[in-house]
Amino acid sequence: AMRRFGLRQDAPLAGLLSMLVEDTVHSTVDEAPLVNAALGVTIRGAGLTRARGGMRGFWRRFVAQYRSLGGQLLLGCAVERVEGRAGRFTVHTRRGGVGADQVVSAVPITCTARLAPDAVGERLAPFLERTAGASGGAVVVFLGVKDAEVGGHDYTHHQLLHDYSSPLGDGNNMFISISAHGDTESAPPAHRAVMISTHSELNRWEGLGPAEYELQKDAAGERLVHLARRVLPRLGERPLVREVATPRTYERFTRRPRGAVAGLRLTLRNANQRAVPHDIGVPGFWLAGDTTWPGLGTVACVLGSRIVADRAAREVGRGRLTPQAAARRAVGEVRDGRRAYR
């Protein structure tokens, strides 16, 4: 579209759109499908907000609501394998087995293919081949600072582009998010939580020795803070908290393969009608998350999850589950000596 209207060589416009497209579609202005890119760019018009308490605050409220509806959350309970079929699934974890009538997998499809029944892996194989190489990573600096280091600014979110002629990522473009004044769930009184993030290629963080990795991580953090001072001149002068996360960090703490985050880079080859569907043809087994349709980002993941939840609920309403499965939903069952619920 930009080429058609003679705008592709307009460096400021292309740079602005490139940042917005990368942050929302994880792609480039030359590769992103037009409809996805247009939605990604224009969603900024709704304004940017940060939940009170950040993502921790969001999840605390989310989990409280889930539990109030009767849901049960098992923490520190890594899934090792899913076996069975609709109405008779068993989710094997390191704490025992959990019976399930239906299963929704919201982890990346590479993980799903490894954990799920063989039929799921077979259905996912063509999609895994299609999306190979479509993953990317991020580097994030987490700061805890005094109000004075970010005070005097009306905006709590910023997007910066340093050099039009350089590739995006690794600090050349970045997103800054600052907790609101008075948000004491994110930081103590008179303090703020600040996050600076940039995209980064996964292979930059692979094959490094311990010392080399630490040097590269520290240099990446310093670069982000230095460039962020274009809008926040005093940022990070005397931080009370300073942590840097890389793809290795996300691989360790979230178990995402290679530490890939932000979903798949959307292109005409893997988006929309060619995206990984929620229903891959294995009854009772559903897919959600940022590697399935409609793609990455909070809005997209919430939309996809809502669609899956509605479809799973309809399967129950249509009576497609066995009477025995319906009974097990209500009372739970004992697997491997432990009580299991859905």
Side-chain angles (χ1 to χ4, degrees):
M2 294 180 69
R3 288 192 177 91
R4 179 178 177 181
F5 291 99
L7 297 171
R8 183 62 184 88
Q9 300 306 313
D10 186 324
L13 177 62
L16 171 65
L17 293 177
S18 294
M19 283 196 302
L20 296 173
V21 167
E22 184 183 62
D23 279 357
T24 55
V25 187
H26 201 179
S27 194
T28 67
V29 292
D30 298 306
E31 289 281 328
L34 178 60
V35 64
N36 304 76
L39 288 169
V41 168
T42 56
I43 197 172
R44 288 290 194 262
L48 288 173
T49 59
R50 185 178 185 275
R52 186 173 181 84
M55 288 307 294
R56 178 175 179 268
F58 171 83
W59 279 108
R60 285 178 61 190
R61 291 166 175 82
F62 186 94
V63 170
Q65 173 70 1
Y66 178 63
R67 286 174 169 157
S68 74
L69 295 171
Q72 298 202 20
L73 175 65
L74 304 181
L75 301 174
C77 195
V79 174
E80 298 172 340
R81 182 72 181 164
V82 180
E83 295 179 331
R85 55 185 174 82
R88 296 179 180 274
F89 286 112
T90 301
V91 181
H92 295 283
T93 79
R94 61 187 181 190
R95 293 187 177 183
V98 178
D101 304 326
Q102 302 183 73
V103 172
V104 178
S105 177
V107 297
I109 56 172
T110 48
C111 296
T112 300
R114 175 172 53 85
L115 298 171
D118 292 341
V120 174
E122 293 168 3
R123 296 296 181 97
L124 282 176
F127 295 103
L128 291 170
E129 182 178 356
R130 182 185 302 170
T131 57
S135 298
V139 176
V140 186
V141 177
F142 300 89
L143 297 173
V145 301
K146 292 184 177 180
D147 265 332
E149 294 191 14
V150 295
H153 294 267
D154 293 332
Y155 296 104
T156 55
H157 294 80
H158 304 269
Q159 281 189 273
L160 305 182
L161 176 61
H162 180 62
D163 183 1
Y164 291 138
S165 62
S166 298
L168 293 182
D170 292 313
N172 190 41
N173 63 305
M174 65 178 70
F175 180 71
I176 305 173
S177 175
I178 306 169
S179 64
H181 179 74
D183 178 4
T184 55
E185 291 186 36
S186 294
H191 293 77
R192 303 284 193 96
V194 182
M195 285 167 287
I196 314 170
S197 59
T198 187
H199 289 258
S200 186
E201 295 296 329
L202 299 174
N203 56 16
R204 291 196 67 245
W205 300 94
E206 296 174 330
L208 302 175
E212 187 180 6
Y213 168 69
E214 290 298 329
L215 285 173
Q216 183 166 304
K217 181 175 77 168
D218 189 61
E222 287 293 330
R223 173 174 166 79
L224 286 175
V225 173
H226 172 72
L227 292 175
R229 286 175 178 156
R230 294 176 64 186
V231 292
L232 302 165
R234 298 184 58 187
L235 182 65
E237 287 180 345
R238 296 181 178 179
L240 283 78
V241 175
R242 183 187 182 279
E243 297 287 350
V244 180
T246 73
R248 285 195 181 187
T249 312
Y250 291 107
E251 184 174 32
R252 175 184 176 186
F253 288 101
T254 71
R255 300 192 181 188
R256 292 183 71 99
R258 302 178 68 199
V261 295
L264 300 172
R265 295 186 172 107
L266 297 188
T267 68
L268 291 173
R269 297 181 296 278
N270 64 20
N272 306 321
Q273 288 92 339
R274 295 185 176 92
V276 180
H278 304 133
D279 181 358
I280 55 171
V282 177
F285 199 100
W286 308 91
L287 301 178
D290 61 5
T291 55
T292 64
W293 189 86
L296 62 146
T298 305
V299 175
C301 288
V302 168
L303 175 60
S305 298
R306 179 174 180 175
I307 292 170
V308 169
D310 288 344
R311 295 186 67 180
R314 285 201 298 270
E315 291 298 303
V316 177
R318 289 171 181 166
R320 295 190 178 182
L321 302 178
T322 65
Q324 293 85 351
R328 287 201 307 274
R329 269 202 321 276
V331 301
E333 62 186 22
V334 176
R335 297 283 180 101
D336 298 336
R338 296 178 183 272
R339 182 165 295 280
Y341 297 91
R342 277 133 315 276

